[in-house]
Amino acid sequence: MDFSFNSDQLLFQDNVRSFLINEVTPERIRELWLTDSGRCDQLWAQLVELGLTGLTVPEQYGGMGLGALDFVLLAQECGYAGLPEPLVETMLVAVPLLAELGEAHEGLKHDWLGRVAEGQARLAVCEPGNPLVSDAHVADLLLLSHGDELHAVPREDVELVRNPSVDPSRQLFQVRWTPGAATCVARGEEAARLLARAFERGALGCAAQLLGLAKRMVDLAVDYSFERKQFGKPIGSFQAVKHLMANVAVRIEFAKGPLYRAAHAVAHGEAEQALAVSHARLAASEAALLAARNAIQTHGAMGYTWEVDLQLFMKRAWALDKAWGDHALHKARIREALFDRELAIGAGTTF
C-alpha cells in the first residue's frame, strides 16, 4: 500500500511548519507558562486566519472537510513546534466527534461547527477513562461522557478545578457538572461507538505529536553537539554522541510507516484501525522517550536546566506519553487484536 503524500499535502505541511517555527518560539512558550490561562488569543487568531480551525469541519458547516490522513502531517508539525494551543485535539478529535452526531442534533452541529470554523468558538473533549479534560478553561462547549451517555455541555454550566501537569503547556482540569436530558446527545451503543472513534483519533494525534517532538529533540541535541566542545573538538564529532542521535533517527523513521498506516485506517474506518493506531502510538512514544533520554545525555547536566530549550519538548513528550492510553493499554490492544486474528485463522477465516 502506498502511503506517499501528494504535493498539496506536503506544501501545506511546509507552510504550517514555517508559520509555527516563526510564531511558536521557545521564548513565547515560556511567556505563556507564566500566564493564568497558558493560552494566547492572538496566536489562536493567527491559526484561524490560516484556515487551520476549519480543516476538518465538514463543508456543509463552512469547513474544508479534510480527514485524519490530511491532518496527520500538520499534527507532527504541532508537536515539532511544541504548540500549546489545542489545535490537534480540536481538529482531530472534538470536531469529528461533534460532526458524527445523529441527524436529531443537526441544529447543534450547524451552530457549533460553523462557529469553530470561523474561530468564534472552541471545543474540548474528554478522553475516555481519564477524569481530566485538557483545555476545558478556554472551551465554549465541552463534550463529556457520563456512564453510557455522551453530553455536550456549555462551559458556563460546569465548574473547573485545575490539575497540575509535568508540562506547564498542558492545561488539565477536573470538570464538575450535572448531567441532564438537555445536554445528552448520544447514549448506549451509539455513544460507545462515538467515543471509541474519538479515542482512535486522539491516540493518532498524540502519536503524530510525539513523532514531531522526537525530531525536534534530535535537532536541538545535534545543534548543541556542534556548539559544545571537549578536548578542543565539538562533541558531535565523537562516535558515541553520533550513535545516540543515530539510534533515535532510526526509531523515528521506523515510526513513520505505522503512523501513516494508522492515519489511513482511521480516515477510512477500517476494521483493524485499533491495531494500527496502537502500533503507531507505541512506536512514536518509544521514539520520543528515547529522543528525550539521549538528548539529555548529549546536553549533559545542562539538559535539565530551565534556560535550555530542550526541557520544553521533553516535558511535552513525557505528558503526551500518558495521554490517550498508556503503554500497557496499547500493548494489550495489540495483543488482543493479534490473538483474535490467530483464532480466526485457526477457524478458517480468510483475511
Side-chain angles (χ1 to χ4, degrees):
M1 186 175 291
D2 183 9
F3 295 121
S4 301
F5 293 93
N6 60 44
S7 58
D8 289 339
Q9 291 170 322
L10 295 174
L11 179 60
F12 198 8
Q13 179 189 20
D14 290 340
N15 291 335
V16 171
R17 179 191 301 123
S18 298
F19 167 79
L20 292 176
I21 289 299
N22 290 326
E23 296 296 333
V24 188
T25 61
E27 292 75 21
R28 192 170 193 175
I29 294 174
R30 284 187 173 89
E31 290 175 0
L32 292 176
W33 281 7
L34 301 177
T35 64
D36 291 335
S37 69
R39 298 293 174 261
C40 178
D41 291 338
Q42 179 186 0
L43 179 56
W44 188 261
Q46 290 176 291
L47 298 174
V48 173
E49 187 176 352
L50 285 174
L52 298 181
T53 59
L55 290 177
T56 59
V57 174
E59 294 182 18
Q60 63 266 36
Y61 304 118
M64 296 180 62
L66 302 182
L69 196 57
D70 303 289
F71 196 80
V72 68
L73 292 177
L74 308 186
Q76 281 182 238
E77 299 306 327
C78 291
Y80 186 88
L83 177 67
E85 303 297 324
L87 183 67
V88 175
E89 292 81 358
T90 300
M91 292 295 99
L92 201 54
V93 187
V95 164
L97 177 58
L98 188 59
E100 289 177 355
L101 295 180
E103 295 182 359
H105 303 286
E106 191 63 33
L108 177 73
K109 294 192 289 184
H110 186 274
D111 290 343
W112 284 101
L113 291 175
R115 292 171 60 189
V116 169
E118 296 172 358
Q120 298 177 358
R122 305 187 203 185
L123 306 176
V125 60
C126 68
E127 174 188 338
N130 190 335
L132 302 178
V133 179
S134 177
D135 286 280
H137 64 313
V138 294
D140 299 287
L141 184 72
L142 291 85
L143 299 171
L144 306 171
S145 62
H146 176 73
D148 65 345
E149 298 177 341
L150 175 65
H151 291 255
V153 188
R155 186 175 58 184
E156 57 267 22
D157 294 338
V158 304
E159 178 186 352
L160 302 178
V161 180
R162 187 183 296 272
N163 193 84
S165 170
V166 66
D167 174 22
S169 290
R170 292 273 290 173
Q171 300 292 317
L172 303 175
F173 295 86
Q174 295 181 14
V175 181
R176 298 174 179 173
W177 57 291
T178 303
T183 60
C184 183
V185 294
R187 56 170 51 90
E189 293 184 3
E190 180 186 6
R193 177 183 60 82
L194 291 171
L195 289 170
R197 285 182 55 80
F199 181 84
E200 304 302 347
R201 292 190 295 265
L204 175 67
C206 192
Q209 291 179 87
L210 284 165
L211 198 60
L213 286 163
K215 181 65 168 61
R216 184 62 177 272
M217 288 184 282
V218 168
D219 289 348
L220 288 172
V222 170
D223 290 343
Y224 180 80
S225 72
F226 284 106
E227 296 172 1
R228 175 69 171 171
K229 293 185 177 181
Q230 289 284 356
F231 310 109
K233 296 181 179 180
I235 63 173
S237 65
F238 301 145
Q239 196 73 12
V241 176
K242 292 180 181 179
H243 284 171
L244 288 175
M245 294 300 100
N247 290 341
V248 181
V250 169
R251 289 289 185 92
I252 292 174
E253 289 304 312
F254 276 115
K256 287 181 180 179
L259 177 65
Y260 303 150
R261 171 68 182 90
H264 185 278
V266 170
H268 294 85
E270 296 180 12
E272 292 194 345
Q273 62 180 292
L275 173 62
V277 168
S278 286
H279 182 194
R281 176 68 170 74
L282 286 173
S285 182
E286 290 171 358
L289 294 181
L290 182 64
R293 182 166 61 251
N294 288 5
I296 289 177
Q297 282 190 271
T298 302
H299 279 75
M302 287 294 295
Y304 289 97
T305 62
W306 184 268
E307 291 77 14
V308 175
D309 293 342
L310 178 62
Q311 58 128 350
L312 307 177
F313 306 97
M314 286 193 307
K315 291 176 179 177
R316 172 57 64 89
W318 293 337
L320 290 181
D321 179 57
K322 304 301 181 185
W324 297 98
D326 58 13
H327 286 228
L329 184 146
H330 287 290
K331 287 181 179 178
R333 293 195 340 150
I334 292 175
R335 183 174 61 251
E336 291 171 3
L338 294 178
F339 185 67
D340 289 345
R341 177 184 291 178
E342 290 179 359
L343 288 179
I345 292 176
T349 301
T350 301
F351 288 91

